[in-house]
Amino acid sequence: MISYKNLKIVAVLLVLTIVSCSKLHEDLRSTLTNEQTATSLGAAGTQLLLQAAYTDVGNPFTDVGQVFSLQENSSDESLVPTRGGDWDDNGVWRVVHSHTWNADHAQLLQTFNNLNKLNFDATNVLAFNPSASQAAQARFLRAFALYHLLDFFGQYPFRNPGDNLLNAPQVYSGDSAVQFIISELNEILPDLAAGGKANMGIANADACRTLLMKCYLNRGAFANRAAPTFDDADMQQVITLGNAIINSGTYKYMNEYFDNFSVSNNNSTEIIFAYPNHTGVSAANSGINGRWFATLHYNQYTPDNPNAGWNGFSTVADFYNSFGVSTPLHASTTSPWSDTSVDKRLGRRFYAGVTDASGQRPGLMIGQQYNENGTAIKDRKGNPLSFDPAISANMIETGANLEVTGIRVEKYPPDLSTGQASYNGPSGNWLVLFRYSDVVLMVAEAETRLAKSATLTPEALTLVNNLRTVRGAATVTSMPLVNTANVNDPKTFLAERSRELYWESLRRTDLIRFGVFLKPWAYKTSDDEKNLVFPVPNQALAANPNLTQNPGY
Amino acid sequence: MTTTRLLRVLLLCPVFMLILQASWAQTKNVTGKIIDEQGRAVAGASVIGKGSKAGTSTDANGEFKLSIPANISTVIISYIGYGTQEIIIPSSNEVAVTLHPETQALTDIVVIGYGTARKKDVTGAVASLKEKDFNKGVITSPDQLLQNKVPGLEVTQNSGQPGAATTVKIRGNNSIRSGNNPLYVVDGVILDGRSARPSVSIGALGGQTPESNPLIYINPNDIASIDVLKDASASAIYGSRGANGVIAITTKKGSSGPTKLDFATSFGVFAGYMKKYEILDAGQYRNALTKYQVPNASTLDGGKSIDAQDEITSDKLSQNYSVAFSGGNETGKFRGSFFGGRDQGFIKETSLDRYLGNFGGSYKFLDKKLTIDFNLIAGHTTEHMGGISNDPGSQGNLISSVLQWNPTQPFTDASTGYYVFPENGSGNPLALITGVSDIADVNTFLGNISAAYKILPNLEYKFLYAINHSSGNRNTNLYGWLQGYGGLSGLGSGSIANAVLSSQTFTHTLNYTADITKNLNLNATAGFEYWKSDFSNNTFSASGFNTNLTQASIIDIPYTAMMQDASIQNLPSTYIDPTTELQSYFARVILNYASKYYLTATFRADGSSKFGENNRYGHFPSVAGKWLISNENFMKNSTLFSNLAIRASWGKTGNQEFPAGASQEQFGFSSFNTAGQINVANPDLKWETTTAYDFGLDFGLFKGRIYGGFDYYNKTTTDILFQSTAIQPAPASTYWINIPGDLKNTGYEIAIGATIIQKKDFTLDVTFNYANNKNLLTNFYAPGTKTPLSILTGTIEGQGVSGTLGQIITNDQPVNEFYLKPFNGFDDKGNQQIGADPVYAGDPNPHSLYGGSISITYKKFSLTMNGGGAGGYLIYNNTRTSVTNISGILQGRNIDEAAYNSDEGPGSGVGASTRFLESGNYFKFRNASISYHVGNVVKYVKGLNIFVNGNNLFVLTKFTGFDPEVNIDHSNSGYPSRSIEYIPYPTPRVISFGLNFSL
């Protein structure tokens, strides 16, 4: 039996045991708590939080499978054919071009999440006592995210700083959604730094004006995507804001079109807002080299790198033909291009620092490709690497030429400033987000729409012809806005936007605003009205009951 | 405080030993002879005078002579493996003793967590394996000892690389996330379960390399027994970490007797692939070039006949040496062991080197009231890994380069001797072997010391302190002369990674036994435990070096020796995980009425720092009963049943395998001058709870000649830990939450063993086990709705199938159900037709597992054979989808024989579909061992044993890959995949030779 004395021993031991217990606390050790962030980092900490929001812009806008894919592959400018053993990827690329996506599409979810991460991080800055300038930049970045969410999904979720993240936030849709973005941008405009080369990497006043212009120009399209309207006051706003930028004298066209996209494009006088990248610096690099890898053939560039390119993204003959080049031209191999009659934006000219190092000629690539020595490149089967405009009707290549179908587009000349290291590694081209020529063309469009004219007004035509002249294209005497019977009609203003702004993640928005997004074009034969807006990703819908699935999905 | 006192005691320990050796006075001489049960002389048996410190051991004739104080009346005779006997010294002072094997007695002891129990008294489902039951042959980690040995225990080798991790599951999938591995407990010390070998993504060669086994520092030769705690009654004492079952490893201890030295060595050679992958040989390849009208076929024919699968295999010898010494007396025992060896990898230049030391002892003080036990394990392991990753993308890995190699093409250029790099991007396997160097060193220390004090004869207090510290370093070099790899070729890349894993345990237990009445016996245990674990990791990598960029100018200095010479310095990644602390109170009561009726009740309260502040403590109760029918009077005289018992148990256990820090709001730095919130905090986050029932039957027939058991279980896991979609806008795409939902595992297990023949010179023993498990996820809805949740996982890798996910975790399906587009045959052009929408396509979780063994002894020969397999599941052959598919032939790559023999045309294209689902059913002849017991040789060598082992002798399966026992990690966002095969490290057949003896 247990005696009293023994019980005492047991009791003492038990007490000892219990005393040795500690208050459980999870020490984070390499991350900070909210309080530590606020107190120990102080004002500098707010700048760090703002920087995180800036960094959020890089991935969703650079990656070829997010904003870029949704804007370009869904349009008449781009598609990714499946090539035998490559680029099937469970059909994700084909359904974007054929407008047969659904609410489980991975690119939609990724885009939704990444834009909302920008939305979140920008909002978070406001909870940490930002300066007026910091708050303005954060609100610009948030507006930038919200504008794209609204464009894609017709709605966006919104949290106030410090909201409980376990609660479903409110959702803005319809005109109040545009109106909120507009009011935000108008409020912050005075607090932003002036635009220009020095500030093109940060939220600046001209970037704010450009985003405002987009809001006003597209407001009627967001409200009624099937039949966009254009309010006079809105158009006047576009013109006023655009002229403020044009008349500031801050921007002028670059003589070399591709200097806007090359490794030295931070010297461009056309860029209003861009995401900075630096050669050889992996910190916050957005992976801009994916833009050329995605389109280049495996065998393009160096003999060490037969698999450097991904051999995917292509464009269609109708777009190529909109440049008015009737016969395929044969690039000379080593000497500079001498034909000045061709639109510079088509490319295919000798580009110093790239053509001499790789044989590549930025722009649209068609026909035989050469290396830096002028030797004709072969594909992996030993056939000539000669890009063929004809793509299989169902976008599934099974023939002997499956590696070479599709015209390629090298919008960003590869960074070869340190050879392979920059080509493969962290490349230094800045990602262009807003560009001067877009502002000019928006003004031209707004003037025409204000005049209720189907063709460009004289003022608008002047703006367009000035641009065409700089780009080496002949001036025109008349230009209709759009030909609804032929989306790719070269004579139209819509085609001019395409020639100037192709592969800059603007095309889907343009096609909707011009009322032709549901028209057939190459490798997209039929459509449905629901496709004017993307479905809200199913996962997001399940998480936030305040989101509403778009009609038809 | 307590620790320092104990350390002082430990330090004084050797002093005591010296003192105890000294001084005795008046003596008498005792002589005797000791024989075994077969009448053979026992040499080396220990003879000690009881109450004195004097002792000796028997000579080769089994005889001894001992001088002891005259007042000593008893001698203690002991010999390893035999029961210790106390013999009263007759007046003649001559003793004759026959020793009896104590294997039966040893078999009886089962580790039940914070204590042991006799097998007969255990109420839970516990499988206990002793050394003789283990798998034989090439063993690099303790879990391999158990493969196919325990019903309901599934051990899958994740990779053929020696030292690679295994997937271990007890009674099915208890969780939808990773963290399904059981809890490992070594000599009472709970392990963290992670490895300090840093994870590395081998950049351009694609993806994460297979994880390392966290137990490789434990010398399999040091393991005395392994207990597998399967039901809640057995594992609930481990509370919030017990849901996946517990594997308790007990290392060998010294025993009283003279010092003994055991030596063992073995050498292994490879005997080819267990199963080769069927690709075209040179002749078929040439035919294929014609059949498919491959352009430039003539330039593709290199004129040779090469078997790339053979060229990459190693012909080097594996060798292991181990030595152990042990000894002791009544009050102190010790054992030390050293192990050194290299397990050669089947693929050239891969290997696992292990240098392991173990020292432990048990010393008694204060009239044996105080027992100090200590054990130290120190291990140094070095892994040389090849360029084989789990998830290589379009450029594949070493194995894809083997399978795609044009079999008519020599690997090197005849004139320069340099490696040839085909322009089809397949890579050159021999170049990859030379051009990839990935070496990881891990140093692990596991030390524990405990002090047990008998306050009363039936009340014992025990304190245990343990530390497990492990640090790993890994240098990975990918040389720039390897051509054809974007981001690598012409640049080179190097990375250095370090990790530190450290955990500490403090345990106080109080054990009380009492006979409450004559028939009612009580055994009660109560305790407190504090456990803490830390993990940190850092990685530095760079690319763009000036050396080793062409084959003509290779120097023998790795990039990792000069990281500053790199044009691209990647951001270092350093992190320290939040410290995880657990503190727990536990209690267990075992009641035994007349050795007929048993009742066990356990309870544990676990507080974890990981849990959200609203749910700091979890409570885990269990109860179990057993009726030992064979002890009833009416059964006492049964000649049929020597043992018959029925058991039932119920209990709750937990799983807390989610990342530390998930419940708190965290702000992190991603690079210079950026900081941001990185997670969605959930202060309600808690453990996952598994409620389990078990009904069991144990039997022994004909005096134990036939024995076995049957168990039925039903487990339901609720409060499922889930990475839910974060409600955007949010700092991350997911966050951790417990959601309702029931993950059910039901099944039954049968184990049968029989001694069919038992004669003096000939015995035949067979065992067989079978387990059936059914896994189903139900009530799996989005929070607050009836919308079924679905999580897609199981990444299908390779060029052309990027972003494809092949498995789904959703309502009313087993976890990881295959979810693939249906394959609808070939059209008239030979193009594969794949349906538009994925369908539920089958279960990747084996429904049945079985294993068996046969042991035969004939005179001095013995033969042991072990085998087993799994059935009722499907494997996705990702290799066939994207590596050896038919389209490769157009680029001059080799393709698989099945595609070649099908109606498929070369332009068919790639696509993931049900076409590549294959039956996983297999039987594997895991190992066979023939040994010859030479016995004592010359004067000192005792018990010489020589043996030949064969491992992975053959496999019977319809699966077309290397090995149907496969689980390549294709997880997606933390959700594991199951049964996906993708260019894995192949499984070799190994023959090993060895011997062991004692001195």
Side-chain angles (χ1 to χ4, degrees), chain A residues 22 34 86 89 159 304 381, chain B residues 296 484 583 665 727 799-800:
Chain A
S22 74
N34 188 317
D86 207 358
D89 301 346
R159 287 188 196 278
D304 277 344
K381 296 174 195 165
Chain B
N296 308 305
Q583 66 180 2
E665 192 173 277
I727 313 171
Q799 192 160 6

Side-chain angles (χ1 to χ4, degrees), chain B residues 30 98 222 245 298 311 620 715 781 888:
Chain B
V30 181
T98 304
D222 281 347
S298 57
E311 299 286 336
F620 304 94
K715 299 193 292 182
Y781 301 121

Side-chain angles (χ1 to χ4, degrees), chain B residues 673-702:
Chain B
N673 269 349
T674 51
Q677 191 172 341
I678 55 172
N679 73 323
V680 178
N682 180 0
D684 293 326
L685 198 58
K686 60 176 186 176
W687 56 96
E688 215 167 60
T689 304
T690 300
T691 308
Y693 300 90
D694 182 283
F695 300 98
L697 169 77
D698 299 321
F699 64 87
L701 302 175
F702 310 114

Side-chain angles (χ1 to χ4, degrees), chain A residues 16 48 57 59 95 119 132 143 174 182 195 201 222 275 278-279 284 296 301 318 320 332 336 344 381 449 483 528 546:
Chain A
L16 270 177
L48 305 189
V57 173
N59 176 265
V95 299
N119 179 5
I182 290 173
F222 290 163
Y275 183 86
H278 303 285
T279 302
L296 291 175
Y301 193 48
D318 291 340
Y320 182 86
S332 66
K344 287 179 180 175
K381 296 174 195 165
R449 294 199 187 278
N483 175 358
D528 188 300
N546 299 335

Side-chain angles (χ1 to χ4, degrees), chain B residues 371-687:
Chain B
T371 307
I372 306 282
D373 284 292
F374 66 92
N375 200 63
L376 311 170
I377 296 175
H380 172 78
T381 59
T382 303
E383 287 173 84
H384 285 252
M385 289 160 281
I388 298 179
S389 51
N390 290 328
D391 52 347
S394 60
Q395 298 190 301
N397 68 10
L398 170 62
I399 302 302
S400 70
S401 76
V402 169
L403 298 178
Q404 293 180 338
W405 186 258
N406 171 348
T408 65
Q409 174 75 45
F411 292 110
T412 51
D413 184 285
S415 55
T416 61
Y418 295 154
Y419 294 114
V420 173
F421 292 97
E423 287 200 359
N424 61 28
S426 72
N428 181 324
L430 290 191
L432 283 172
I433 287 170
T434 318
V436 175
S437 158
D438 185 8
I439 303 170
D441 283 308
V442 179
N443 294 310
T444 304
F445 172 80
L446 171 61
N448 72 70
I449 179 162
S450 68
Y453 185 74
K454 275 195 183 341
I455 301 163
L456 297 167
N458 58 357
L459 179 67
E460 186 179 67
Y461 164 78
K462 186 176 178 184
F463 170 76
L464 174 116
Y465 170 74
I467 180 163
N468 186 3
H469 186 88
S470 183
S471 65
N473 166 270
R474 183 164 175 180
N475 286 348
T476 308
N477 286 281
L478 310 174
Y479 291 105
W481 56 260
L482 288 168
Q483 289 175 27
Y485 296 93
L488 168 65
S489 301
L491 297 170
S493 105
S495 87
I496 300 177
N498 296 290
V500 178
L501 172 66
S502 186
S503 63
Q504 291 181 73
T505 312
F506 296 84
T507 313
H508 304 268
T509 47
L510 207 51
N511 184 267
Y512 178 72
T513 55
D515 294 326
I516 295 170
T517 69
K518 188 181 156 216
N519 276 330
L520 185 61
N521 175 275
L522 167 78
N523 182 338
T525 304
F528 168 82
E529 186 165 78
Y530 172 81
W531 185 84
K532 176 181 165 183
S533 181
D534 288 307
F535 183 79
S536 63
N537 184 87
N538 59 60
T539 307
F540 303 89
S541 66
S543 60
F545 291 89
N546 285 310
T547 59
N548 288 345
L549 300 181
T550 65
Q551 292 188 65
S553 57
I554 293 174
I555 58 158
D556 192 20
I557 300 172
Y559 296 141
T560 46
M562 45 177 180
M563 296 286 278
Q564 60 281 5
D565 171 45
S567 59
I568 304 165
Q569 298 285 350
N570 298 323
L571 278 188
S573 157
T574 64
Y575 65 86
I576 305 177
D577 273 356
T579 297
T580 299
E581 286 181 307
L582 245 82
Q583 66 180 2
S584 319
Y585 304 90
F586 54 88
R588 175 175 54 219
V589 174
I590 302 174
L591 287 169
N592 164 0
Y593 184 78
S595 293
K596 292 175 194 164
Y597 312 103
Y598 294 85
L599 185 73
T600 305
T602 68
F603 176 79
R604 182 168 177 130
D606 260 347
S608 169
S609 60
K610 276 163 94 173
F611 301 155
E613 57 190 21
N614 301 339
N615 280 314
R616 269 289 144 80
Y617 280 86
H619 305 286
F620 304 94
S622 85
V623 62
K626 171 165 155 174
W627 180 23
L628 190 52
I629 306 169
S630 52
N631 275 5
E632 292 287 356
N633 292 338
F634 60 84
M635 289 285 287
K636 276 267 160 75
N637 299 322
S638 165
T639 50
L640 180 62
F641 284 102
S642 50
N643 175 29
L644 182 65
I646 55 173
R647 292 178 273 111
S649 74
W650 169 91
K652 286 188 174 197
T653 49
N655 181 331
Q656 57 153 354
E657 287 300 313
F658 59 85
S663 71
Q664 280 199 69
E665 192 173 277
Q666 297 184 60
F667 284 72
F669 300 100
S670 53
S671 63
F672 181 64
N673 269 349
T674 51
Q677 191 172 341
I678 55 172
N679 73 323
V680 178
N682 180 0
D684 293 326
L685 198 58
K686 60 176 186 176
W687 56 96

Side-chain angles (χ1 to χ4, degrees), chain A residues 24 32 41 73 98 121 138 143 210 215 222 256 323 330 361 377 401 408 455 499 531 541 551:
Chain A
L24 290 170
L32 311 181
L41 296 177
N73 287 329
S98 62
D121 281 340
T210 308
C215 290
F222 290 163
E256 282 291 341
F323 284 92
H330 294 282
R361 289 162 185 266
I377 305 175
N401 67 339
R408 308 308 165 86
T455 55
R499 285 188 289 264
N531 294 322
L541 209 59

